Amino acid sequence: MKNEVGLGAFFVTKKVKISFLIVVWSIVAIQMFVNYQEKMKHDNQAVTAFSVIEDVAFSERISGYGYFGTMDITDEIKKEMLENLAYKLGITEGYAFGLENNDDYMKLELKGNGVSGDAALQLISIIKPGSEPEQYIIMDIRTKTDLQNAQALFQKVKRVYEEIGVEAQTSLEIEAEQKGEIINENDIGIVENILKSTDAKKVDVIRENGIYTIYGYTRKEESFVKLNNKKVNLQIVMTYDETQDKTYLKIGVPIVNTSY
C-alpha cells in the first residue's frame, strides 16, 4: 500500500513539475521583453565591434545546446515548449514541426522564420533502456543582419537558456568575405583591429595549409574554452581563394564550430 501511495505521489510530482515548467516558460516569454530592454545597455558593452571590416558580405549563426533534465514529456507538451521558445525569438506564425524517431532518440523540431532570422529549435530525447529519457534543447539561428543585432541576439539566446534554468553552450559565428587578399604577413591590420575593438589579447597564432588562425581572449565575453591551458573566447580564421580573388573570414565566439 505504501508503495502504491509513493508511486502515485511520484507521478503527481512529475506532472506538477512539467506543468510548472510550461507555466514558467510562458511567464518568461513576457518577462524577457522587460529584461531585454534593461540588459541592452550591458550587452552593448560585450563583444560588439566587428564593424572594422568594411565592404564585406556578412552572415551570422547563433547556436545553443543545453541539457534540460531526465523526464518523460509528451509530444503535446514538447510542442508547447518549442512554441514558447519560438515566441521569445519573435516567431509567432508560419512555423512547422518535424518529428524524427530512432531506437536511440526522438527529435521534435520547430522551424520558422522570424524577425531574428531562420530558426530551428529542437527538443531531443535520448532514450536509454530502463530509465527516463534525457532531454536536450538545441537552438540554431541563421541570419543576415547587421552585426550589432546579431550580437544582441547572441546575448538574448544565452539569456533564454538562463531564464529557463538550462546550463547551455552557446556560440556566435560570423562569416564574411572581402574582395582581394587581405592576409599578408606584413599587413594584418584587420586582425589587430578586431582584437583591439573587442579588447581581446592574442593568445595563439597558427598559419598552415593556407589557413590563418588567431585565438584571442576578452573579458567582455563570459564564456571561454581552454587552449593549452589558456582561456580562449575569440577565434578568427582567414583563407584566400586565388580563383575568386576573395578572402574568407570566420569569426567565432568563443570559437568557430563549423569547418573551414
Side-chain angles (χ1 to χ4, degrees):
M1 189 68 174
K2 290 183 179 179
N3 288 338
E4 291 180 1
V5 173
L7 190 61
F10 172 80
F11 282 116
V12 169
T13 302
K14 279 290 186 182
K15 291 179 180 179
V16 170
K17 181 178 180 181
I18 294 174
S19 298
F20 175 73
L21 287 171
I22 293 297
V23 172
V24 169
W25 281 38
S26 299
I27 294 174
V28 166
I30 299 172
Q31 185 62 36
M32 272 197 60
F33 177 78
V34 178
N35 292 348
Y36 181 72
Q37 300 298 323
E38 292 297 320
K39 286 200 172 188
M40 273 299 292
K41 296 178 182 178
H42 170 75
D43 292 343
N44 286 336
Q45 298 173 1
V47 181
T48 58
F50 294 114
S51 56
V52 294
I53 309 173
E54 299 178 351
D55 301 323
V56 294
F58 285 108
S59 66
E60 302 86 20
R61 180 177 183 178
I62 297 98
S63 303
Y65 175 89
Y67 173 64
F68 184 58
T70 302
M71 67 186 78
D72 280 315
I73 308 177
T74 65
D75 291 346
E76 183 179 354
I77 291 178
K78 287 180 181 179
K79 284 186 176 182
E80 191 171 347
M81 291 167 70
L82 290 179
E83 284 177 333
N84 283 331
L85 277 179
Y87 176 78
K88 296 169 195 176
L89 297 172
I91 303 170
T92 58
E93 58 184 15
Y95 55 81
F97 285 99
L99 182 64
E100 182 178 333
N101 271 311
N102 192 290
D103 292 337
D104 301 322
Y105 72 92
M106 186 184 78
K107 178 176 72 176
L108 180 65
E109 181 178 57
L110 180 152
K111 283 189 174 183
N113 302 320
V115 294
S116 301
D118 298 333
L121 311 177
Q122 301 175 351
L123 228 169
I124 296 179
S125 305
I126 305 299
I127 301 169
K128 295 184 177 182
S131 62
E132 293 181 321
E134 295 179 355
Q135 309 290 350
Y136 294 87
I137 298 171
I138 297 174
M139 302 188 208
D140 187 19
I141 303 169
R142 299 167 188 262
T143 182
K144 290 185 178 181
T145 182
D146 64 82
L147 297 179
Q148 187 172 356
N149 286 338
Q151 291 150 31
L153 179 59
F154 172 54
Q155 298 297 331
K156 185 176 182 180
V157 167
K158 290 202 296 184
R159 287 198 302 274
V160 169
Y161 277 114
E162 290 172 1
E163 296 189 23
I164 62 177
V166 174
E167 186 174 342
Q169 296 177 346
T170 54
S171 64
L172 165 63
E173 189 168 309
I174 298 167
E175 292 188 23
E177 61 183 61
Q178 185 168 13
K179 189 69 175 175
E181 182 178 8
I182 59 174
I183 306 173
N184 189 300
E185 291 287 359
N186 301 316
D187 182 19
I188 52 172
I190 187 171
V191 172
E192 299 302 330
N193 283 338
I194 292 173
L195 293 173
K196 182 179 179 180
S197 64
T198 56
D199 285 343
K201 292 184 178 180
K202 194 181 297 182
V203 175
D204 197 7
V205 176
I206 300 174
R207 183 164 187 150
E208 58 183 10
N209 301 322
I211 301 174
Y212 187 52
T213 306
I214 303 93
Y215 295 96
Y217 176 74
T218 173
R219 294 182 182 275
K220 289 186 176 181
E221 172 56 37
E222 295 179 355
S223 61
F224 64 86
V225 297
K226 285 290 189 76
L227 177 67
N228 297 327
N229 293 321
K230 294 181 180 180
K231 293 181 179 180
V232 169
N233 57 13
L234 177 65
Q235 182 183 5
I236 306 166
V237 180
M238 305 172 69
T239 58
Y240 174 66
D241 186 335
E242 291 184 3
T243 59
Q244 299 292 326
D245 188 28
K246 286 183 179 180
T247 299
Y248 296 92
L249 299 93
K250 285 194 175 186
I251 306 167
V253 179
I255 60 171
V256 173
N257 289 314
T258 56
S259 60
Y260 50 84

